[in-house]
Amino acid sequence: MKAFTDLLQAQHDIGSVEIGPDIPEHCFRDWMTVAPRSAALARVRPGSAAQVSNLMKLCSQYRVPVVPQGGLTGLAGGAKPVEGCVLVSLEHLKGIEDVDIASSSVVARAGSTMQDVQEAARASGLYYPLDLGGRGTCTVGGNLSTNAGGNRVLRYGMARDLVLGLEVVLADGTILSNLNRMLKNNTGYDLKQLFIGSEGTLGIITRAALKLSPQPRSTSTALCALKDYDAVLKLLGLVRGGLGAHLSAFELMWPDFYERMTSGLPHLTKPLPDGHGAYVLIESQGSAPASDREHFERVLSGALEDGLLEDAVIAQSESEALRIWAVRDSSGQFRAVFWPHVGFDISIPVGSIGAFVEDLKRQLRARWSTADTIFFGHIADSNVHISVKVCEGEQPERDIEDLVYAAVGQWRGSVSAEHGIGTIKRDYLHLSRTAEELAIMKTLKRSLDPLGILNPGKIF
């Protein structure tokens, strides 16, 4: 393919080009997967949709596979290089183009980080609610292509719920642009939804019009200790009724997570003692600072008086709230306390999560008597994160995945809640989607990418 790489280097309208050995090492790995350096022919960094278009026309002509890359914080191998590919990095395609206060929206280029959008919104007195631990690295394009979830889905929805319009470059170089900023726009098919969550297999997102919200004027945070999952469900019903639309987070940590992380990471404080059956982080965001906190405390006090809560601590300052959140966000530091392990991002109907967890533990320990597990998640959104370790050293990863995903299928859950399918979950997609659904997906893929050059080997 030297002739093709020479051709790339001769182009002046596709962005900066790096060939083979000049491609940075970090482009061959995300958080979960590693590709050999020989996989990629080149990395191109376009600075505009027009340059992405020119590159796609060239790659289409020569039938060269293209792998889009954002912040490389993915957990499913969606940005992993494939053999003989051109990597398209969007790191030069960044910037906040416009914050429109009247329509509560912002147009951001795909290489902008989540934090860039959050800060631009905040500077205009508005709020971009999508949030997760990699906010300073993950990009708008990556967030939308994987339909990212994060901490506040309960109130604001997934990434797709925050998208008003998109600019996308198709496999043949066509620029599909509809940066709509109106909430109501029923003019035929909502094409943007095809690309959100498609992991770069149908088109490359280059710009997005995103919906913003009013900046919260008050935030109340608490950590609650409960007896078991049944009590957690009762608490969820109580705070949904008591806090209504102000409820912004309801994060459950099983004791295996809470006790291991707060004991194993020296920088964490232990807001509540060990020994409880469940720990729930609750956050409420409102617009009336004078009364919001009082109401938040009243709702939780009622739960405590009724015996629903075994213990609780309410943050008295922003720094205390950050210390509580640090416990929940410590999942990014598993390498220090629970490694190696096999991780999962799954969904189960909310009412069944407690029973599912116990069933999965039984199945794992019946197969491996030494199996150890950690559970936590955004359970109000049906999302559970699982880490499994069955022995010291290298894990029998495929066997563990087969067991866990089969259990997810038995409980009519989803093999991917918020991380996407990529390469890691490709063999298990059929457990969550019907044959008819998969056939329609493949029909869409063939229609928009008939040569199969856009992020091949991902999802299917």
Side-chain angles (χ1 to χ4, degrees):
M1 296 296 289
K2 186 177 185 305
F4 180 75
T5 55
D6 288 344
L7 182 61
L8 279 180
Q9 288 181 300
Q11 302 299 306
H12 300 291
D13 56 357
I14 61 173
S16 62
V17 178
E18 297 158 316
I19 302 297
D22 295 329
I23 303 173
E25 179 66 31
H26 74 269
C27 297
F28 294 89
R29 64 177 65 241
D30 60 12
W31 280 17
M32 301 298 291
T33 63
V34 180
R37 285 197 62 90
S38 60
L41 299 175
R43 180 173 79 143
V44 180
R45 292 181 289 172
S48 68
Q51 290 188 339
V52 177
S53 173
N54 292 334
L55 174 64
M56 290 310 306
K57 289 175 183 176
L58 190 64
C59 290
S60 180
Q61 179 183 348
Y62 286 87
R63 299 197 173 201
V64 174
V66 173
V67 176
Q69 293 190 332
L72 293 170
T73 59
L75 294 167
K80 182 180 179 179
V82 300
E83 193 62 34
C85 75
V86 170
L87 302 176
V88 181
S89 169
L90 301 180
E91 63 182 44
H92 285 177
L93 212 160
K94 62 173 57 177
I96 306 302
E97 296 187 352
D98 181 33
V99 178
D100 185 344
I101 296 175
S103 66
S104 294
S105 66
V106 58
V107 172
R109 303 177 94 198
S112 306
T113 67
M114 176 185 288
Q115 188 170 324
D116 290 338
V117 182
Q118 291 173 337
E119 291 177 353
R122 188 181 303 115
S124 297
L126 295 169
Y127 183 60
Y128 184 57
L130 191 65
D131 189 53
L132 45 86
R135 64 187 66 84
T137 307
C138 65
T139 63
V140 169
N143 295 157
L144 302 188
S145 69
T146 57
N147 188 29
N151 299 327
R152 297 190 173 95
V153 171
L154 175 61
R155 177 169 179 178
Y156 299 99
M158 300 282 284
R160 72 169 68 253
D161 299 298
L162 303 174
V163 180
L164 297 170
L166 287 181
E167 176 184 79
V168 181
V169 178
L170 304 184
D172 64 359
T174 298
I175 299 176
L176 187 67
S177 185
N178 180 15
L179 291 169
N180 166 71
R181 298 176 79 156
M182 300 171 289
L183 284 176
K184 290 185 176 181
N185 183 10
N186 287 328
T187 50
Y189 301 146
D190 190 359
L191 297 179
K192 68 178 181 291
Q193 296 297 344
L194 289 176
F195 304 100
I196 302 169
S198 67
E199 302 183 46
T201 62
L202 300 180
I204 299 177
I205 296 170
T206 51
R207 284 196 296 171
L210 304 169
K211 182 168 61 175
L212 303 177
S213 296
Q215 182 71 38
R217 297 179 59 202
S218 71
T219 300
S220 301
T221 308
L223 184 66
C224 305
L226 300 96
K227 178 182 178 181
D228 53 26
Y229 189 77
D230 286 342
V232 171
L233 286 180
K234 291 176 183 176
L235 177 63
L236 177 58
L238 185 149
V239 296
R240 273 179 165 161
L243 300 175
H246 289 179
L247 181 63
S248 54
F250 191 92
E251 302 287 311
L252 173 59
M253 296 168 278
W254 274 261
D256 51 23
F257 176 96
Y258 182 82
E259 294 172 9
R260 191 181 300 268
M261 303 312 286
T262 56
S263 299
L265 296 174
H267 68 279
L268 292 182
T269 58
K270 196 183 289 284
L272 292 174
D274 295 345
H276 298 285
Y279 297 83
V280 174
L281 187 160
I282 299 174
E283 181 189 82
S284 177
Q285 295 179 329
S287 57
S291 59
D292 287 340
R293 181 178 179 81
E294 180 182 344
H295 180 65
F296 182 78
E297 292 179 349
R298 186 163 57 247
V299 170
L300 292 187
S301 294
L304 195 60
E305 291 168 4
D306 291 343
L308 183 56
L309 304 184
E310 294 185 335
D311 201 354
V313 57
I314 298 176
Q316 301 300 309
S317 64
E318 183 178 359
S319 61
E320 288 187 13
L322 291 173
R323 283 196 290 272
I324 291 174
W325 269 108
V327 177
R328 168 58 184 83
D329 289 341
S330 65
S331 57
Q333 300 168 67
F334 274 163
R335 187 177 290 272
V337 298
F338 194 69
W339 195 261
H341 73 264
V342 183
F344 300 89
D345 156 54
I346 59 99
S347 281
I348 298 291
V350 175
S352 302
I353 288 176
F356 165 80
V357 168
E358 295 307 314
D359 179 52
L360 181 59
K361 287 180 180 179
R362 284 192 295 269
Q363 291 192 46
L364 285 166
R365 287 167 188 163
R367 177 73 182 275
W368 297 280
S369 61
T370 56
D372 197 1
T373 54
I374 290 179
F375 294 87
F376 65 102
H378 327 277
I379 66 105
D381 313 325
S382 72
N383 184 188
V384 183
H385 297 292
I386 307 167
S387 295
V388 178
K389 181 178 182 179
V390 301
C391 61
E392 295 302 320
E394 185 176 355
Q395 303 295 300
E397 187 169 338
R398 182 69 186 210
D399 292 338
I400 295 172
E401 289 176 341
D402 286 349
L403 188 152
V404 172
Y405 287 131
V408 172
Q410 293 162 9
W411 284 84
R412 301 181 68 82
S414 167
V415 298
S416 182
E418 58 182 355
H419 295 163
I421 299 299
T423 58
I424 290 179
K425 304 176 190 178
R426 186 175 53 198
D427 293 343
Y428 303 101
L429 182 57
H430 70 281
L431 296 172
S432 298
R433 304 304 290 264
T434 66
E436 293 78 13
E437 288 177 308
L438 291 172
I440 292 295
M441 291 183 195
K442 291 175 182 178
T443 297
L444 287 169
K445 172 67 172 173
R446 287 192 298 269
S447 176
L448 290 172
D449 183 17
L451 300 178
I453 64 170
L454 260 178
N455 217 7
K458 313 301 168 60
I459 302 181
F460 307 116

